Every structure is written in structure tokens, then in C-alpha cells.
Amino acid sequence: MSSRIDQLLSRLDVPQLVGQLLAPRAASHYLPADVEGYKRLHRLVREMHVGGFVLFQGEVLGQAQLVHELQSIADIPLLFGQDAEWGVGMRLDDATSFPSMAAIAATGNAKHARVLGRVTAAEARALGVHHVYAPVADVNNNRANPIINVRSFGEEPLVVGEMGEQVILGLQEGGVLSTAKHFPGHGDTAVDSHSGLPRLDLTIDRLEHTEWPPFVAAIRAGVDSIMVGHLAMTAVDGPEAPPASLSRNVVTGLLRERLGFEGLIVSDALDMNGIQLHYEPGEAAVLAVEAGVDILLTSPDDVAAYSALVDAVESGRINRDALVGSVRRILEAKARVGLLDTSSQGFADLTAVRNVVGCKAHRDAARDAARQAVTAVKDNGLIPIADRARVLVVELHDTEYPQTSLDPFFDTLV
């Protein structure tokens, strides 16, 4: 396969190489061929040679159809990625949703994390997704954190590392690329990087002992990619620190050199306010690549990012050899999941969709994890709950995710 990758690299010009770094946003809804959203996706593939897409909310069959159509027009197979931290149901109606990461950890049994990875991989592959942005490797050690919370496996670094490692192994067993996120650690912040730029005012010693053990465990487990968050790391870059995702000191100095990670480095979404409020889209893209990021997720202006990157390479601001190195890592990752196999091309398996996505075996696995996760935090003599007792369960969650992560738990109450 290395010879095929060498051949591909030898025939790609600068615009084509740059395109491989970009993973624009795409909704997974059905789109008629004459609407601008549909035409935009086609232009991104045909004119900007993008390397893949990040798939967001939608429907199962809508996503399968979209993936199939976009793969059919790509010169190099596309790498579709998706947030599926607690299953593909996090993004798609009717796919399987597991309970949250905190609930998985509450079971006390890492087998549920492994099963979560396997089920997620099976449903992702059926729908044409080969890159899952999970597991969350952040340690939930700040009660004021508005974004990580139950997305984390908890406040104990060793537990977070163990559970994350099992998710990684499960995803890889199912044939998809895994992602540990959000380096250098989003757990001890009080600002959501979707809305602003959090400051990570922690010493390197503290990071090494608390925030980084789950990432070290992920690297040891062979995690395919690590996502760098939009976090100002003052211990490394000073009081005016840029986001870690745009910092060469963090991306290359810490993640590549200090932790020894050799896989894909992925930015968090570049259309989050942790970036957008401070940088123009083109400059953010260039800074991320200069820092050492391989794949740029969801720029707020894909055309501006693409143009700025091409100009930066042609002017010498971005080293061409470094660009080729990133594209090589991307192509190697595509090869590992079969995307460069001419017999596959990564199309969604329309036959498998109905038999795999949301099937009974997967829903049963999610319910089993939910049952095992129920934990008595405090008992004033009410447990076991008396027959005919009326129980109110309230969940507060981000409205971005219309399907609640407690759905499997609610099923156990029926």
C-alpha cells in the first residue's frame, strides 16, 4: 500500500494536497439536487479536492445516501468523520444511543466501553463513516465546566484512561479510526470553547499527573488520532497564549515530541467561537497547519481556508515537505480502514443499514449498560423503591442533541 500512497502523492499538486487537509461540515439530511447546500458539497469535492467531511445531525438513510453520492464523485476516497461519543444516535435519529460516558464509567465494568466502541463502529461503517471522534479523554475535575461534564468518564485519570482505551479498542475492532480528545485537556475549564476561549492555567507538572494520563493511555493503545482543543495554554505560551490548536509549542512540541504521538492530529471544529472570535478563517487554517495539525475540521469559510493555505504553501510560509507529511498520514489512515482499496471506495452499505443500525442487539447492549450504570448516590431509606412509587427523572442537556443520552435508561423504566 505504501507504493500506492507514494504514487498518489507524486501526482498531487499543491491545491490537491491542501484539499486533503480539509474536512468541511455537512448535515446528514436529505437534500434535493437543486438546493445550494447540495451544490456546495459537490463543489467542495470537485473544485477543492477536500479530503473528507464532518457529518452532523440528520437521518440514517439521508446520511447513507449522501455518503454514497459524494464518494462516487471523489478522485481520492473521502474520509467521513462523525461525533459519536455515546453512539451514532448522538447525531442520527434511529441509530443506537448508549448512556453518557459518566454512566458507562459508573457501571464499574470496562466491557461496556468496549461494547460501545464495537457497536458504534458497526453502525458507523454501515453508514460510510470511517473516523469517529471519540473517546473523550478529558478528566472531569472542574464542577463549573459547562461542556465536558458527563461527556467524561469521570474525575479519576486512571479510570478515564482505562475506559477510553477500551472504547479505542472496540472502535478499531470494528474497523474505524478512533480519536482521543481534547488535548491538552478540557476538563479543568469554566468556559465552553464553543462560545469563547478557555484559559488552561495549569503547570506542566499538573498536566502530566492529571490531564495527560488518559492521552498517554490512548497513545499506548494505538489511538489513530488526537483532537487538539481550543484552549489557551498559558504555562507554555504565556499570558497571551493562542488556542492550543494553533500553537506549535503545544501541537508539535508537546503532543508530537514530548508525548511521542505519531498518528493523525485533528483540530477541534474551527467554526467554534474559541477560534472565530479571534482569527479570520484563512489565518486560523494557516496557523493550525503551521502548528502541526493534519486535518482541519469545519472551517467557517472553507473557500477562504483553502485559498489561504494554497497561498501559504506557494509563498513558502508553509513548508511543502511538512504538507506532504500531513497528507501522507491522512492517506495512510484512509488505507488502514480500506478506503484506498479499489474494491471498496468507502461507500455506505445500503443493504447493511437496515440490518445493523439501531438493531435489537445494539439496543439491548445500550440498555444493559444503562441498567448497570444506575448508582445510588444517597439513600434516605427509599431504596428499594416501593411498588407504585412515582419517580421523576430530570435530565439537563445541550439542545444541540435532541435525542437524550438517557433514552436507554428510560427504556429500563418501562
Side-chain angles (χ1 to χ4, degrees):
M1 185 55 72
S2 60
S3 61
R4 171 153 168 73
I5 291 173
D6 288 338
Q7 291 172 1
L8 277 173
L9 288 170
S10 68
R11 68 175 175 81
L12 297 179
D13 59 20
V14 168
Q16 291 170 316
L17 289 168
V18 165
Q20 286 297 302
L21 307 184
L22 299 176
R25 172 183 291 265
S28 295
H29 298 289
Y30 167 78
L31 293 172
D34 58 356
V35 302
E36 176 56 27
Y38 183 85
K39 295 176 182 178
R40 165 186 165 266
L41 298 178
H42 275 246
R43 287 196 301 270
L44 290 170
V45 176
R46 292 188 183 279
E47 298 174 16
M48 288 172 44
H49 325 288
V50 297
F53 288 91
V54 183
L55 297 169
F56 284 83
Q57 302 304 126
E59 305 87 31
V60 167
L61 294 180
Q63 176 169 307
Q65 182 183 46
L66 180 66
V67 167
H68 192 88
E69 291 184 6
L70 293 179
Q71 288 287 21
S72 70
I73 64 171
D75 291 331
I76 298 175
L78 301 163
L79 181 62
F80 284 93
Q82 196 157 39
D83 271 324
E85 295 167 17
W86 54 82
V88 177
M90 177 175 170
R91 290 302 187 200
L92 301 182
D93 297 340
D94 301 319
T96 302
S97 289
F98 276 73
S100 70
M101 305 301 93
I104 295 292
T107 67
N109 190 338
K111 79 167 188 179
H112 294 293
R114 187 76 160 254
V115 171
L116 163 63
R118 288 175 181 159
V119 168
T120 300
E123 297 196 358
R125 283 295 299 251
L127 292 164
V129 170
H130 292 79
H131 195 180
V132 171
Y133 307 131
V136 172
D138 301 314
V139 179
N140 186 43
N141 49 19
N142 187 329
R143 293 183 180 181
N145 196 314
I147 186 60
I148 300 303
N149 204 284
V150 296
R151 294 171 66 194
S152 166
F153 287 110
E155 61 189 23
E156 296 293 335
L158 293 180
V159 172
V160 176
E162 178 188 11
M163 291 289 177
E165 180 177 351
Q166 291 304 308
V167 174
I168 289 164
L169 295 175
L171 290 169
Q172 292 174 337
E173 288 165 355
V176 302
L177 303 172
S178 54
T179 310
K181 61 185 187 184
H182 309 78
F183 187 83
H186 206 329
D188 196 359
T189 64
V191 174
D192 178 359
S193 52
H194 292 83
S195 58
L197 180 61
R199 288 171 59 89
L200 201 61
D201 294 320
L202 304 175
T203 66
I204 295 295
D205 182 68
R206 156 64 190 271
L207 290 162
E208 285 186 325
H209 286 88
T210 304
E211 271 67 32
W212 291 352
F215 291 99
V216 172
I219 293 170
R220 189 169 56 240
V223 70
D224 302 283
S225 63
I226 291 180
M227 181 182 290
V228 182
H230 308 318
L231 313 159
M233 193 170 171
T234 57
V236 173
D237 289 313
E240 301 301 320
S245 51
L246 308 186
S247 167
R248 186 166 183 83
N249 289 332
V250 175
V251 177
T252 297
L254 294 179
L255 186 52
R256 281 270 185 245
E257 296 174 359
R258 188 159 185 156
L259 269 62
F261 181 60
E262 298 179 350
L264 279 176
I265 296 179
V266 183
S267 77
D268 206 343
L270 293 175
D271 53 5
M272 293 162 58
N273 281 342
I275 295 291
Q276 274 210 85
L277 293 179
H278 307 280
Y279 301 88
E280 293 297 322
E283 182 65 8
V286 172
L287 288 171
V289 172
E290 286 184 313
V293 172
D294 298 313
I295 298 180
L296 309 179
L297 303 188
T298 67
S299 169
D301 188 332
D302 299 306
V303 175
Y306 174 75
S307 298
L309 287 168
V310 171
D311 290 345
V313 176
E314 292 180 341
S315 71
R317 179 178 173 184
I318 290 177
N319 181 280
R320 193 181 191 281
D321 289 342
L323 171 63
V324 171
S326 285
V327 176
R328 179 179 293 279
R329 280 188 287 272
I330 292 167
L331 294 177
E332 287 172 347
K334 290 183 176 185
R336 284 201 302 278
V337 291
L339 283 172
L340 300 189
D341 180 349
T342 55
S343 66
S344 164
Q345 297 298 308
F347 294 117
D349 187 342
L350 298 178
T351 301
V353 168
R354 199 171 296 279
N355 294 324
V356 172
V357 179
C359 68
K360 184 178 183 300
H362 292 175
R363 288 184 283 112
D364 287 347
R367 287 195 188 97
D368 183 45
R371 290 190 183 100
Q372 297 300 317
V374 177
T375 303
V377 177
K378 182 178 181 180
D379 179 16
N380 290 329
L382 297 176
I383 299 175
I385 297 172
D387 290 343
R388 302 182 182 277
R390 299 178 68 183
V391 179
L392 173 65
V393 179
V394 178
E395 182 189 17
L396 301 178
H397 62 92
D398 192 328
T399 54
E400 180 183 357
Y401 308 123
Q403 184 170 12
T404 171
S405 60
L406 279 181
D407 282 353
F409 172 68
F410 291 141
D411 289 342
T412 70
L413 300 179
V414 175

